[in-house]
Amino acid sequence: LPDSGPDIALQVADRLREAVQDGPVVLPGGDRLRVTASIGLMVCDGAALADPRAVARAIDDADRALMQAKLGGRNQVAVGVALPAPQAG
């Protein structure tokens, strides 16, 4: 979500989680299946992702946040550690 801060990103992720929770999946035979979503959210300054190592770290942090959401009871959003913007010079 370019140009949005952590509060907006968290709101969007939570709305997505709620939409998944509220809308049953209709199977081909007509049966309905209730599902939930656990979301790992990683917030960073886009400039921090210019370094491939930072991209790998961001993915790892998002994955850890996802595991935190699952271990915390599922059907929730967990936020990972934010990557700082790169230092000039």
Side-chain angles (χ1 to χ4, degrees), residues 44-72:
C44 66
D45 182 302
L49 299 179
D51 178 357
R53 292 171 298 189
V55 172
R57 184 175 144 213
I59 292 169
D60 287 344
D61 286 348
D63 190 48
R64 278 192 288 279
L66 172 60
M67 293 310 297
Q68 180 183 4
K70 288 181 176 184
L71 292 172

Side-chain angles (χ1 to χ4, degrees), residues 15-63:
R15 283 197 313 255
L16 174 62
R17 181 199 57 77
E18 288 176 354
V20 170
Q21 169 188 290
D22 293 343
V25 174
V26 180
L27 301 175
D31 290 335
R32 293 176 178 259
L33 180 64
R34 291 250 179 232
V35 295
T36 61
S38 297
I39 299 173
L41 179 65
M42 173 54 191
V43 179
C44 66
D45 182 302
L49 299 179
D51 178 357
R53 292 171 298 189
V55 172
R57 184 175 144 213
I59 292 169
D60 287 344
D61 286 348
D63 190 48

Side-chain angles (χ1 to χ4, degrees), residues 3-4 13 20 72 74 87:
D3 301 322
S4 60
V20 170
R74 301 187 182 206
Q87 298 296 318

